[in-house]
Amino acid sequence: MMRKLAVSGALALVLAAGAAGAKTVPADTVLHHGTILTVDAKDRVVQAMAIRSGRIVALGSDKAIAAYIGKRTKVINLAGRTATPGMIDAHAHALEGGIDEVANLQLGEASSVADFLARVKARAAELPAGAWLTGSGWNESRIAEHHPPSLAELDAVSGGHPVALGNTTGHYTLVNSAVLSLAGVDAKTPDPAGGRFDKDASGALTGVIYDSAQDVLDKLVPPVDAATRAKGLTHVIEGALSEGLTGFKDPRTGRLQWDVYAAAAKQAPLTMHVCTLTFAQTDMTAARAAVDDYRQRKRELAKMPGSNLDVCGVKIFLDGSGAGRTAWVYKPFEADAAHANPGTGLPQMAPEVYREMVDLFTSEGMPIGTHAIGDRAIDTVVDAYAAALKKWPKQGLRHSLIHANLPTEHAIDVMADMQKKYDSGYPEAQAEFLWFLGDALAAGWGPERSVHMMPYATYVKRGIIYSDGSDYPVTPYAPRYGLWSSVAREPDGDRFGKVPFGTAEAVDIHIAMKSHTIWAARQLFLEKQTGSLEVGKLADVAIWDRNPYAVATADLKDMRCMMTLFGGKVVFTRK
């Protein structure tokens, strides 16, 4: 339903700060002559907004806000364009993705095995002898053959270089024979707990290594230098601002990644909100070290007030990926030519160890984000959260379920109960998976499960608050794709038609907007500061070339951010 484009004079008075009859103090900045979607509790729409000292002081009609324009006020004429709250990505590996983009071969656009190989061959020719060739982003949903090159094909174009090419999900990597040799891996090497060295029907290695099996690369692949890490952070923040993003939660940040953020924040406040999660790994020794790291980060932050950097909790991995068929599920994944025996996925640790971790972090009052994609993994998470919160009934930890692709009815019941009782149990989903990983997910889940993926409409019916994000670099961080995917639920390819995920769990654009703004802000513990445009909140604003509430669904993914304000300051302008 369309919202009115301006408020009445009475509402303007309600939304404007200042006592009746008092002289209006000019604003630093005024936005007017546009459509401003506040995404407040009533989803109000106004024409103009006044900003002073980085915060919103008034919202209302052009006429009402004109009183805030003084001689030194910066006036931004929206000229009919639409402003929204700055978008917030509740789950983006921002630093990792930024570094990856500046340092590695990008394979996200590889459209066939031949194209994939041509890109690798060209990069190999550019490198000095013996140098590692690293890359990422290949996506079987976008490869015509729906699988990566074979080990023999990759070896043929490697040019003598060790080659490691990460899938877009981050859960599996294609390597060549040189890397397998360096890692001491052959067809007889046993699979590690929580991982797999993939083999074909004959028992020969394919070169694809899944989940924890990727750990063999940690001591082999040369790390990037400090300058490249810093460049990666600058690169991703600049790009995110250009897409209307003013905040993200970056999970799985170890000490090395944290130090990159902290070093940048010490030099100058970050130009967007960044909240990190300490990585807990897969054993109790590491979990106890994560407690210490979390506390150390908090101590460091106390010396950096106003840095726009924070730590939001700890991250645990419980299972793998849906596209890679390593998510932990009750019913086996669908088999196909590339996955003859896909099985039921696998947990990254024993369930009893996971429950012990949840107990530890809950008792310490630390928020937890658990990666859980499969239905069996999600059930394990909600039950562990509920049990721990019953022992230590702490309010407001906002324990979350990262991804939560396929929750059971039981899991949904427990989430709803935890949100009401403890302010915990929040799904942090990624609608963009349905688009960017679409065919790969539909192939693995099969038709019966696919239509129940990411049950946003069910969440809304049950009163469950959820947030949305990109999981960048798994999918692009541009929130316009997430807004569109939340409503359309369409895959990138057409291997299974345009509606393999159905439309019953779609939501309208108003709900999609909340999941990318005010509901996402909650998961960064910032909902009182940002996420909606209200008097007293920070003026974190994205200005668009069109009104997402008024355009056709298909047009949402083509929205262009024209300007971004962070704390009232213009931090991006499209030229």
Side-chain angles (χ1 to χ4, degrees):
M1 182 178 69
M2 288 289 295
R3 300 309 202 257
K4 292 182 180 179
L5 297 186
V7 295
S8 66
L11 182 54
L13 291 175
V14 171
L15 297 183
K23 183 178 179 180
T24 302
V25 178
D28 298 329
T29 304
V30 162
L31 282 65
H32 67 174
H33 301 333
T35 302
I36 298 176
L37 312 181
T38 65
V39 199
D40 65 6
K42 294 185 178 180
D43 211 5
R44 294 182 176 97
V45 180
V46 299
Q47 290 177 316
M49 176 169 61
I51 301 164
R52 190 185 307 119
S53 299
R55 294 185 179 270
I56 300 166
V57 294
L59 294 142
S61 66
D62 284 340
K63 182 178 180 181
I65 302 306
Y68 288 85
I69 299 176
K71 293 181 179 179
R72 297 181 181 178
T73 302
K74 177 182 177 68
V75 179
I76 297 174
N77 184 358
L78 295 175
R81 289 174 174 158
T82 297
T84 69
M87 300 288 165
I88 297 174
D89 192 321
H91 187 85
H93 300 270
L95 178 58
E96 175 187 334
I99 293 171
D100 182 68
E101 286 192 12
V102 301
N104 295 326
L105 173 65
Q106 299 301 297
L107 291 164
E109 298 302 318
S111 59
S112 66
V113 168
D115 183 19
F116 188 119
L117 291 168
R119 292 168 188 257
V120 174
K121 184 176 182 179
R123 185 58 169 260
E126 298 171 352
L127 297 174
W132 276 74
L133 194 166
T134 54
S136 66
W138 61 269
N139 181 355
E140 55 264 68
S141 286
R142 294 188 156 193
I143 295 173
E145 296 86 352
H146 306 299
H147 62 75
S150 68
L151 182 58
E153 289 172 326
L154 183 61
D155 286 344
V157 298
S158 295
H161 301 281
V163 178
L165 308 169
N167 177 267
T168 191
T169 66
H171 284 269
Y172 40 114
T173 299
L174 174 65
V175 301
N176 66 355
S177 294
V179 173
L180 293 172
S181 178
L182 289 169
V185 173
D186 59 28
K188 296 180 181 179
T189 302
D191 291 333
R196 185 174 83 243
F197 299 109
D198 193 49
K199 300 179 180 68
D200 62 21
S202 72
L205 292 170
T206 67
V208 180
I209 56 179
Y210 287 90
D211 291 301
S212 67
Q214 297 174 111
D215 293 348
V216 300
L217 301 175
D218 290 348
K219 295 181 180 179
L220 296 176
V221 180
V224 297
D225 59 27
T228 302
R229 293 194 293 271
K231 183 179 179 182
L233 179 58
T234 299
H235 172 76
V236 75
I237 288 179
E238 289 177 349
L241 292 172
S242 76
E243 290 286 357
L245 279 162
T246 55
F248 54 75
K249 182 193 285 189
D250 191 336
R252 195 181 174 177
T253 55
R255 172 49 58 171
L256 180 64
Q257 292 79 18
W258 169 258
D259 286 345
V260 176
Y261 279 122
K266 286 175 183 176
Q267 291 182 6
L270 301 180
T271 52
M272 63 190 309
H273 304 290
V274 177
C275 202
T276 66
L277 296 182
T278 300
F279 185 36
Q281 300 190 55
T282 57
D283 62 79
M284 289 308 299
T285 298
R288 283 185 278 270
V291 172
D292 294 337
D293 188 29
Y294 175 93
R295 289 174 175 159
Q296 176 60 28
R297 294 187 193 191
K298 287 293 189 183
R299 287 191 290 268
E300 292 174 30
L301 287 167
K303 301 176 182 178
M304 293 188 288
S307 65
N308 300 320
L309 178 64
D310 201 356
V311 54
C312 284
V314 293
K315 164 76 175 289
I316 308 175
F317 269 102
L318 186 56
D319 68 346
S321 78
R325 292 169 169 80
T326 55
W328 195 25
V329 293
Y330 291 112
K331 176 184 173 183
F333 283 94
E334 300 293 314
D336 59 24
H339 305 87
N341 298 291
T344 56
L346 60 165
Q348 294 294 297
M349 67 189 79
E352 57 269 22
V353 175
Y354 172 71
R355 288 189 287 268
E356 191 175 353
M357 281 190 181
V358 170
D359 280 359
L360 170 65
F361 297 135
T362 303
S363 68
E364 294 285 349
M366 296 179 181
I368 304 169
T370 302
H371 170 114
I373 286 181
D375 48 10
R376 191 171 179 183
I378 295 168
D379 276 354
T380 301
V381 173
V382 296
D383 288 344
Y385 283 177
L389 288 165
K390 187 174 181 180
K391 292 179 192 175
W392 297 281
K394 298 176 184 289
Q395 289 291 324
L397 292 183
R398 297 184 185 170
H399 289 348
S400 66
L401 293 99
I402 296 169
H403 309 311
N405 280 189
L406 204 66
T408 62
E409 285 296 323
H410 167 72
I412 291 170
D413 287 343
V414 179
M415 285 183 215
D417 187 61
M418 279 194 288
Q419 288 194 11
K420 291 175 183 177
K421 286 183 179 178
Y422 305 112
D423 190 15
S424 273
Y426 292 93
E428 292 177 350
Q430 293 77 35
E432 289 183 39
F433 281 12
L434 301 172
W435 160 60
F436 204 72
L437 305 177
D439 280 355
L441 291 175
W445 294 125
E448 182 180 341
R449 286 181 288 200
S450 290
V451 295
H452 296 293
M453 271 196 72
M454 299 186 194
Y456 292 174
T458 296
Y459 290 158
V460 174
K461 290 174 186 175
R462 295 296 305 275
I464 294 172
I465 291 174
Y466 73 94
S467 59
D468 212 291
S470 64
D471 200 17
Y472 168 78
V474 175
T475 76
Y477 51 63
R480 53 195 166 94
Y481 295 124
L483 293 172
W484 168 70
S485 295
S486 298
V487 181
R489 293 176 66 88
E490 291 182 12
D492 185 42
D494 58 4
R495 185 179 174 192
F496 303 98
K498 283 298 181 185
V499 288
F501 306 110
T503 57
E505 293 294 350
V507 291
D508 66 23
I509 184 57
H510 299 275
I511 295 296
M513 183 65 72
K514 287 182 179 179
S515 72
H516 285 80
T517 56
I518 189 62
W519 289 350
R522 287 179 54 82
Q523 292 311 101
L524 276 67
F525 299 91
L526 288 174
E527 75 276 13
K528 293 182 180 179
Q529 299 293 322
T530 191
S532 61
L533 302 178
E534 301 182 66
V535 170
K537 285 193 171 184
L538 292 167
D540 298 338
V541 186
I543 299 171
W544 306 90
D545 67 344
R546 66 199 73 182
N547 180 354
Y549 286 1
V551 300
T553 296
D555 291 335
L556 292 169
K557 64 179 178 297
D558 298 320
M559 290 169 58
R560 296 181 78 211
C561 178
M562 308 307 295
M563 181 180 288
T564 305
L565 285 75
F566 180 68
K569 295 181 179 179
V570 176
V571 289
F572 167 76
T573 302
R574 189 168 298 281
K575 299 178 180 178

